[in-house]
Amino acid sequence: MWSSFWRSRDRFSLDELRYLTDQLQKVQIVNNVNKNFVIETLRSISELITYGDQHDSNYFDFFMERQVMGEFVRILKVSRIVSISLQLLQTTSIMIQNLKSERAIHYMFSNEHINFLITYTFDFRNEELLSYYISFLRAISGKLDKNTISLLVKTQNEEVVSFPLYVEAIRFASHEESMIRTAVRALTLNVYHVGDESVNRFVAKAPHADYFSNLLTFFQKQCLYLNGMVSETLKNLDSDTTTAILNVVDEIEDNLYYISDVISAGIPEVGRLITVNILQLLIFPLLLPSLQLDAVDDIQIGAITSLYLLCCILRIVKIKDLANTIAASLFCPPEAFVPDSETKLNGHAPDHGHEIQQTENKNVIEVDGCSKKILPSLSSSSLVHPEDIISKGVSRLTLRDALLSYITAGDDLQVLSSLSILATLLQTKELDETMLDALGILPQRKQHKKLLQQALVGEDLREDQLFLSGRSFIRDGFSCELDGYLQNLKEQYGVACSSLEVGTSPSVHRFQVLDALVSLFCRSNISPETLWDGGWLLRQLLLYSESGFNNQHLELLRDSYKNCTYALLEEARGTWPDLLVTVLRDEWKRCKRAMEAPSPRKELKCMLLPLDKPSFDDVLPNKSSFVAGERMCKVVKVFVLLHQLQIFFLGRALPEQPPTCPPSDILENSRARNAGLDVSGPKLGSELRLVDAVPCRIAFERGKERHFCVLAISVGASGWILLAEELPLKKHYGIIRVVAPLASSDPTIDQKYSRWLHLRIRPSTLPFLDPAKLITHGKAKTKAPVDGRWTLSFMDDESCKSALSMILEEIDLQSNEVKKRLKPLLNHEGAIDVPDASPHPPDDASPSTATPSNSL
């Protein structure tokens, strides 16, 4: 009997729920004495309701009958203890998240208890309480649909007049804690994607529409913060801010993706609000004015950061009106976006304090007594004249002209950024083709397609226009589309466009873009990777022919290609001839992939990071083999690009591998053959014949001289300097003890001690050619490899000269082999005539005249 009396209740039973509810109703005040009991009771009730929702509907029937949700609200009212508020929010969140039946969710939302909890005045100075509260709001939003959302709003005349869940959540939209901002954004997206028309009107009208302007204001502050970090990094290349910049970039892109998700909800008025706020709060006052060529004191953001942000907005925020408005804005001068910019007829701008005068040089204008270069143009049809820049005191140089000027005369990052914005515009599907044509970046294949369509529908079009590259299609349609956006700029935003740009033919703009790209390929101070991006853009604009170019374009490109060919030929006798063919074949494949890729290979964030930031802690001298290796790789990359463009202009398909000769066989009378070596080369500890080897001494440690025989050997494109130890019992044979690269050894006889021969010994390979050793952004820098120095001592002067002559001869053989392998490539279309062999230095050449190399 007694065991039956004390029998415990089943934890997951209706009796347990009834008992806990009775105990909770008895609580009249919550204090430190009973708070733990109340907390445990609330937690247990949430477990039972969740269990019952999935196993027995009687649990939730009891929950509704006893008005347990009302008891939760009553407990909150009679308690001032934070832990009770925390548990109550957690309990309610758990129940809402885990309830599956529509009946249960409908009941939870159908009374005012949820709205009471939403609007209750919690003490949010407690960060943990705020976190639980936001989680509670997000849990509610996760259950919203067209049926449940109506239970949480108040309406009047079929219009929503109150929506506490949304209103309270957006109060924390700009909270300093990123997790809270993320939760609020997830909640708003859940609201927008319900698709309730009355709720959509509620969120899009004042004062709730301020959320979108506040969102863009917060985003504006992030952009300014990013610009400050980028500016500091560009000023001080040694500063390690890469990780911090990338973190800010990730947050900025996340914000844009959130905006994109909001737009995808399909609320027209919200899309219009976002478009207007992006233009008025970010693009017009900050981003576009920064693109002017001359620095102005009141510009708040740099051109590089501005172009990066424009690219991100165009790529992520898919709004047709926004994309076309940005594109139309490029036909306006930068001054059009500066507030209260007044100018005088004499060319004096009082806001900026610049006096503009025309100089004798038609490609230069005078600003405050300083010469400023304007857009250089290669074709007379697209020449921008200084008299066009000075008209009624207002600059006629548009933002589009500024972008092209960055390509022709800007630094590496400016070029990359300008190419990126043009590539982004080209790939923006929301942009009208007529706008691309106006900008001069409509691909020829799309021009021809449009002309063909016009011909098929019977429009008045001459047949020969289908195959003429310099013409624009439908001038009337072009003017209509562009003029519409320009008129909207003027009427809605007060931005006036240059009349010169409106009246200019798109074909002129197209040739200006081609001029800029040709000029870019003729520049020697731009990184190969940036030139590759220019090559990608050129291939997108043109068909597989040179029909889009004039003779001057082709001549300049051929001259640039020829100069690069000679530079590559010099590398055959440079520091790294043994790696030249290998690097060329690798870069050929990489460049081909980059040229044929559907989009530029670089991420946008690369625009914000210095391209020439040193990879190593050490400051390397110019004669360092590592510096020479970097130079060789740059020469190869530029050569490969220009060579592939030449093939492209001829209308041919790019081969998978460059046309090079196979390696030559080892000659019968060569030193390698006489020494008994094969194509695999020498190996440490192996035996060889000491034919032509010269006895010498060398000390690798102070006071410890060793006797060796030095032998220079070349096998194909490879070459080595060997130090062999003569075998005492086997005459004229030795064991290889030391192997060093032959190339870049720079043999020099000491001017004071004529029996000493100095050699520079470079590393056997370049670290950046090994993917495992690549230095990436954000990684720690390492020590750079350094060149070694050998000094060989010989018995007499003749032995020293003999060793010098042997090394120089093998260097020539190695160089000639490299040139022979490259000959089919370098003789492309008769670019240059590569000789079969370079002349050997005379035997009696004075070794003392050789250029000494600095000790490293």
Side-chain angles (χ1 to χ4, degrees):
M1 182 183 70
W2 289 106
S3 61
S4 175
F5 179 80
W6 290 107
R7 185 175 61 219
S8 62
R9 296 178 304 277
D10 184 3
R11 182 184 175 189
F12 291 100
S13 66
L14 196 58
D15 289 340
E16 178 70 8
L17 178 60
R18 185 178 292 107
Y19 169 78
L20 293 173
T21 303
D22 291 340
Q23 295 301 313
L24 192 65
Q25 289 177 335
K26 294 177 183 179
V27 176
Q28 299 302 313
I29 188 172
V30 180
N31 51 34
N32 290 329
V33 176
N34 64 353
K35 68 176 182 180
N36 290 334
F37 168 76
V38 173
I39 289 173
E40 182 61 26
T41 301
L42 292 172
R43 186 189 62 78
S44 298
I45 289 177
S46 68
E47 289 182 352
L48 286 169
I49 296 302
T50 301
Y51 170 82
D53 182 68
Q54 300 175 17
H55 296 87
D56 188 350
S57 60
N58 291 325
Y59 283 75
F60 203 82
D61 290 341
F62 177 84
F63 183 83
M64 292 188 293
E65 179 184 345
R66 297 290 295 270
Q67 293 288 317
V68 178
M69 197 65 204
E71 288 299 316
F72 286 178
V73 171
R74 184 184 65 81
I75 290 296
L76 182 63
K77 291 179 179 179
V78 299
S79 172
R80 291 295 181 267
I81 299 176
V82 173
S83 57
I84 297 297
S85 300
L86 288 172
Q87 184 59 51
L88 188 59
L89 289 173
Q90 185 185 45
T91 294
T92 311
S93 298
I94 291 174
M95 286 195 301
I96 292 174
Q97 285 176 330
N98 291 281
L99 290 177
K100 303 299 182 183
S101 68
E102 294 183 6
R103 171 172 167 265
I105 294 297
H106 191 275
Y107 171 79
M108 292 290 290
F109 289 177
S110 62
N111 52 61
E112 284 298 307
H113 296 317
I114 292 295
N115 276 341
F116 176 84
L117 293 178
I118 292 173
T119 57
Y120 185 78
T121 307
F122 292 101
D123 184 6
F124 291 131
R125 291 174 297 181
N126 185 305
E127 294 181 1
E128 186 179 12
L129 183 60
L130 176 59
S131 178
Y132 275 72
Y133 176 75
I134 296 298
S135 297
F136 165 65
L137 298 185
R138 184 172 182 178
I140 297 172
S141 72
K143 298 296 182 177
L144 293 180
D145 56 32
K146 287 189 176 182
N147 295 321
T148 57
I149 197 170
S150 60
L151 305 175
L152 297 174
V153 301
K154 292 183 179 179
T155 60
Q156 184 176 346
N157 298 326
E158 297 185 354
E159 291 293 327
V160 175
V161 295
S162 175
F163 190 7
L165 174 66
Y166 181 80
V167 173
E168 293 301 319
I170 61 177
R171 288 174 51 206
F172 303 97
S174 300
H175 195 274
E176 60 184 8
E177 177 57 49
S178 63
M179 295 298 293
I180 291 178
R181 295 198 304 271
T182 300
V184 170
R185 291 176 181 180
L187 182 150
T188 58
L189 290 176
N190 288 336
V191 171
Y192 302 148
H193 282 274
V194 168
D196 187 280
E197 294 296 332
S198 59
V199 172
N200 292 347
R201 290 192 295 271
F202 175 82
V203 301
K205 67 182 181 182
H208 316 296
D210 291 342
Y211 167 69
F212 302 105
S213 60
N214 294 336
L215 175 66
L216 268 298
T217 300
F218 177 77
F219 182 73
Q220 181 192 70
K221 293 178 181 178
Q222 285 185 312
C223 295
L224 291 173
Y225 179 66
L226 172 65
N227 178 72
M229 299 183 66
V230 172
S231 299
E232 180 62 29
T233 301
L234 295 179
K235 290 178 183 176
N236 182 16
L237 295 179
D238 293 332
S239 61
D240 189 13
T241 58
T242 299
T243 301
I245 289 177
L246 294 179
N247 289 337
V248 178
V249 162
D250 289 341
E251 190 167 355
I252 283 177
E253 293 184 0
D254 286 344
N255 289 336
L256 288 175
Y257 279 112
Y258 167 67
I259 293 174
S260 177
D261 290 340
V262 173
I263 295 167
S264 69
I267 308 176
E269 185 61 20
V270 170
R272 188 194 68 81
L273 285 171
I274 290 176
T275 298
V276 171
N277 281 292
I278 288 179
L279 292 171
Q280 291 186 335
L281 295 178
L282 188 64
I283 292 178
F284 288 160
L286 280 182
L287 304 189
L288 295 183
S290 70
L291 301 183
Q292 54 189 309
L293 298 178
D294 296 328
V296 179
D297 293 338
D298 57 356
I299 296 299
Q300 302 180 55
I301 197 167
I304 303 299
T305 308
S306 174
L307 290 171
Y308 161 75
L309 293 170
L310 285 172
C311 288
C312 284
I313 291 171
L314 288 169
R315 290 192 182 188
I316 298 174
V317 184
K318 305 294 186 180
I319 303 179
K320 181 177 181 179
D321 187 55
L322 176 64
N324 285 278
T325 301
I326 293 174
S329 301
L330 298 179
F331 293 98
C332 302
E335 295 82 359
F337 303 96
V338 179
D340 301 325
S341 60
E342 298 178 358
T343 55
K344 297 181 180 179
L345 292 177
N346 63 356
H348 179 65
D351 288 340
H352 299 165
H354 293 320
E355 190 76 24
I356 304 178
Q357 299 177 358
Q358 184 176 346
T359 64
E360 294 181 1
N361 187 342
K362 292 188 177 182
N363 288 329
V364 175
I365 59 174
E366 188 96 357
V367 182
D368 292 343
C370 299
S371 295
K372 301 292 182 180
K373 193 172 184 179
I374 66 172
L375 175 67
S377 182
L378 300 176
S379 64
S380 59
S381 63
S382 58
L383 186 63
V384 180
H385 297 284
E387 56 266 23
D388 294 333
I389 297 177
I390 308 160
S391 175
K392 298 182 181 181
V394 181
S395 170
R396 305 289 289 275
L397 191 65
T398 65
L399 293 172
R400 177 184 169 280
D401 295 328
L403 291 177
L404 298 182
S405 293
Y406 284 138
I407 294 176
T408 58
D411 60 32
D412 215 342
L413 279 179
Q414 289 173 335
V415 173
L416 175 61
S417 302
S418 295
L419 292 174
S420 297
I421 190 66
L422 292 178
T424 300
L425 289 167
L426 181 65
Q427 294 188 300
T428 301
K429 296 181 179 179
E430 292 73 25
L431 206 59
D432 291 334
E433 287 190 0
T434 50
M435 195 66 72
L436 290 176
D437 196 28
L439 293 169
I441 56 174
L442 181 66
Q444 275 186 345
R445 64 181 183 275
K446 291 189 177 181
Q447 289 188 26
H448 290 189
K449 179 181 178 181
K450 187 69 175 182
L451 291 171
L452 183 60
Q453 289 175 346
Q454 294 169 17
L456 291 175
V457 298
E459 295 187 13
D460 184 16
L461 185 70
R462 296 198 315 271
E463 184 178 352
D464 59 349
Q465 280 186 282
L466 294 175
F467 307 101
L468 293 180
S469 60
R471 298 182 180 271
S472 166
F473 63 83
I474 310 189
R475 174 64 193 167
D476 293 338
F478 157 75
S479 298
C480 180
E481 293 284 348
L482 177 59
D483 289 349
Y485 284 106
L486 294 175
Q487 187 66 22
N488 184 62
L489 275 174
K490 183 177 181 180
E491 293 177 355
Q492 186 171 354
Y493 304 105
V495 176
C497 172
S498 167
S499 58
L500 170 70
E501 287 293 338
V502 177
T504 304
S505 169
S507 61
V508 174
H509 291 169
R510 180 177 182 81
F511 272 99
Q512 286 179 344
V513 175
L514 294 179
D515 287 346
L517 292 176
V518 171
S519 175
L520 172 63
F521 298 136
C522 297
R523 298 183 61 184
S524 59
N525 60 339
I526 302 299
S527 67
E529 291 78 8
T530 301
L531 294 178
W532 283 14
D533 288 340
W536 179 90
L537 180 60
L538 182 64
R539 287 200 55 173
Q540 297 300 309
L541 297 181
L542 298 178
L543 292 172
Y544 285 91
S545 70
E546 57 188 25
S547 59
F549 279 169
N550 58 28
N551 291 333
Q552 192 175 6
H553 291 150
L554 297 174
E555 182 180 352
L556 287 168
L557 283 175
R558 290 187 184 114
D559 288 344
S560 180
Y561 172 66
K562 185 177 292 186
N563 292 335
C564 192
T565 301
Y566 282 119
L568 183 69
L569 198 56
E570 290 181 3
E571 293 296 333
R573 193 177 173 81
T575 306
W576 298 91
D578 45 340
L579 297 182
L580 185 58
V581 176
T582 301
V583 171
L584 191 143
R585 294 173 69 89
D586 291 342
E587 296 300 335
W588 181 277
K589 291 185 289 186
R590 292 182 61 240
C591 185
K592 184 176 184 294
R593 286 197 300 267
M595 293 300 100
E596 296 176 349
S599 60
R601 57 193 178 80
K602 284 188 177 179
E603 296 184 19
L604 288 179
K605 61 186 69 175
C606 294
M607 296 164 54
L608 304 175
L609 305 173
L611 298 176
D612 55 351
K613 191 170 183 179
S615 301
F616 297 98
D617 293 322
D618 311 294
V619 178
L620 299 175
N622 290 332
K623 289 188 177 181
S624 164
S625 63
F626 182 80
V627 174
E630 288 185 323
R631 182 179 62 249
M632 181 266 291
C633 289
K634 290 179 180 179
V635 169
V636 169
K637 290 177 181 178
V638 176
F639 171 81
V640 166
L641 170 65
L642 296 178
H643 190 93
Q644 292 191 4
L645 287 178
Q646 293 290 326
I647 297 176
F648 169 72
F649 296 146
L650 294 173
R652 302 173 184 171
L654 288 176
E656 293 296 327
Q657 292 288 349
T660 57
C661 289
S664 301
D665 296 330
I666 301 178
L667 299 177
E668 287 298 327
N669 59 347
S670 64
R671 289 190 174 89
R673 180 72 70 183
N674 294 335
L677 298 179
D678 55 23
V679 292
S680 63
K683 296 178 177 60
L684 288 176
S686 62
E687 185 179 293
L688 81 165
R689 291 191 294 270
L690 299 178
V691 180
D692 293 335
V694 183
C696 66
R697 293 175 297 164
I698 185 172
F700 291 112
E701 298 179 45
R702 185 181 296 274
K704 294 184 179 180
E705 278 193 347
R706 299 180 63 182
H707 291 265
F708 290 109
C709 290
V710 61
L711 180 63
I713 285 179
S714 62
V715 177
S718 301
W720 305 271
I721 296 177
L722 309 179
L723 295 182
E725 207 168 40
E726 189 172 7
L727 292 174
L729 301 179
K730 196 173 183 180
K731 194 174 182 180
H732 303 304
Y733 280 83
I735 300 296
I736 300 175
R737 298 302 185 189
V738 182
V739 179
L742 173 66
S744 185
S745 57
D746 192 17
T748 307
I749 294 178
D750 191 276
Q751 295 183 1
K752 187 175 181 181
Y753 301 100
S754 57
R755 292 183 297 170
W756 289 6
L757 182 64
H758 299 294
L759 299 176
R760 183 176 64 176
I761 306 300
R762 46 141 250 228
S764 58
T765 187
L766 290 166
F768 52 78
L769 296 181
D770 183 357
K773 299 180 180 179
L774 280 176
I775 305 298
T776 57
H777 290 300
K779 300 289 184 68
K781 294 186 290 188
T782 58
K783 291 288 185 181
V786 296
D787 296 335
R789 173 71 64 181
W790 287 2
T791 300
L792 303 179
S793 176
F794 296 90
M795 293 183 295
D796 49 44
D797 295 353
E798 290 302 320
S799 298
C800 187
K801 290 179 181 180
S802 176
L804 172 65
S805 177
M806 174 181 59
I807 294 174
L808 292 176
E809 183 179 344
E810 292 298 319
I811 289 176
D812 281 339
L813 292 173
Q814 181 184 20
S815 174
N816 291 337
E817 171 64 17
V818 175
K819 292 177 183 178
K820 178 182 176 182
R821 294 192 62 185
L822 295 178
K823 188 173 181 179
L825 187 67
L826 301 181
N827 282 347
H828 173 73
E829 296 297 318
I832 64 171
D833 184 20
V834 181
D836 291 332
S838 59
H840 295 284
D843 295 336
D844 57 350
S846 174
S848 62
T849 61
T851 303
S853 58
N854 297 329
S855 178
L856 301 176

